[in-house]
Amino acid sequence: MKVRLKTKEDIERIREAGRILAECHREIAKLIGPGITTLEIDAFVESFLEKRGATAEQKGYHGFPFATCASINDVVCHGFPGNHKLVAGDIVTIDIVVGKNGWMADSGWSYRIGQVSEEAEKLLTNTEQALLAGIAEAVPGKKIGDIGYAVQRVAQAASIGIVKPLIGHGIGRAMHEAPDVPNFGRPRSGVTLQPGMVITIEPIFTGGDTGAVLWEDDGWTIRTADGSMGAHYEHTLAITEDGPLVLTNGQ
């Protein structure tokens, strides 16, 4: 699949969707806590986006039935929202793709529910740090492998697992475009980054050091094979002459 470079105008349109998405995550952070259900969060997100003339692009994507992916504790990705009430100590990842005027932005974020364990805090902190390390490598002339290597080094230093089948990707008119952006790699390998590329970087780590996962029978929900917790942090960003431009941080 060919990489589709975006114009500055295209990037601004993706950024518009990204601002809505960032605002949505800020509101989720206010709502989320012990006693709420992920189904209630899902309903809030769908209503929030509708009021802003935006759409939740996951809903209906290959039959996915919800506006968000809501992944609790050992679910690392693509979890279904449900009626189970969250309790203190949980980790919950809310992953959302927003569409606005034909352009998309994607961001997932892991939330602490009350006080979490020391192990969970280590996982969350390092996964977010890996996202920042990957973003720092997203400059013209670098390679996709440089991003993956930066993400990988954080996981290895912390002795936590990388979920290797789950990767970042290009995004724009479609939810998933070229290039793939793995969370591991070799420096100076892979596709060369150039201005106009828009990608997601999304480390998905596990508390256990293998990163091994299992798919459930629903075809979507992905759990850690060892029962450890999972964490997921994701931004959409553009490669520009001036460096990485994060499009889902509300700026």
Side-chain angles (χ1 to χ4, degrees):
M1 189 185 300
K2 185 179 179 181
V3 174
R4 302 174 187 171
L5 298 181
K6 277 71 177 180
T7 65
K8 289 182 179 180
E9 291 75 18
D10 296 338
I11 290 169
E12 278 306 308
R13 293 182 183 105
I14 297 170
R15 196 178 198 176
E16 182 182 7
R19 287 191 180 108
I20 295 170
L21 180 44
E23 185 185 359
C24 188
H25 269 298
R26 286 196 296 271
E27 292 303 313
I28 290 169
K30 296 174 188 175
L31 283 175
I32 205 164
I36 198 170
T37 71
T38 50
L39 201 56
E40 289 170 331
I41 294 168
D42 188 77
F44 166 79
V45 168
E46 192 159 17
S47 174
F48 179 94
L49 298 181
E50 185 178 352
K51 289 173 184 175
R52 284 154 182 78
T55 54
E57 292 293 330
Q58 281 113 307
K59 193 166 186 178
Y61 179 77
H62 293 302
F64 190 81
F66 298 99
T68 64
C69 297
S71 305
I72 305 172
N73 294 334
D74 64 326
V75 177
V76 296
C77 205
H78 303 157
F80 284 6
N83 284 313
H84 174 76
K85 291 185 177 180
L86 301 177
V87 298
D90 285 341
I91 291 175
V92 184
T93 300
I94 306 296
D95 190 7
I96 310 166
V97 183
V98 169
K100 177 74 174 179
N101 297 327
W103 294 90
M104 300 183 198
D106 188 358
S107 176
W109 213 254
S110 290
Y111 294 91
R112 299 160 177 81
I113 306 302
Q115 186 75 29
V116 300
S117 69
E118 186 176 330
E119 179 185 1
E121 186 61 43
K122 173 188 171 184
L123 174 64
L124 290 161
T125 300
N126 281 283
T127 310
E128 187 172 0
Q129 284 300 313
L131 171 61
L132 298 177
I135 290 172
E137 294 296 312
V139 298
K142 290 270 191 173
K143 305 274 189 176
I144 288 291
D146 294 313
I147 294 174
Y149 182 65
V151 170
Q152 174 184 327
R153 288 185 65 192
V154 176
Q156 290 174 333
S159 298
I160 54 182
I162 302 168
V163 182
K164 290 188 174 181
L166 302 176
I167 60 177
H169 49 87
I171 190 168
R173 290 281 195 184
M175 190 184 302
H176 296 115
E177 299 180 355
D180 291 342
V181 187
N183 292 309
F184 58 94
R186 291 183 296 106
R188 299 176 297 282
S189 68
V191 174
T192 301
L193 303 175
Q194 29 181 335
M197 291 173 66
V198 177
I199 60 173
T200 72
I201 299 176
E202 46 181 311
I204 303 175
F205 291 169
T206 66
D209 61 5
T210 68
V213 292
L214 302 170
W215 269 256
E216 292 201 344
D217 291 342
D218 62 23
W220 288 100
T221 305
I222 304 172
R223 293 184 184 273
T224 60
D226 59 7
S228 65
M229 286 186 165
H232 176 192
Y233 288 91
E234 173 188 16
H235 272 311
T236 297
L237 59 139
I239 312 300
T240 78
E241 295 284 5
D242 299 321
L245 177 63
V246 178
L247 305 175
T248 47
N249 62 359
Q251 300 300 312

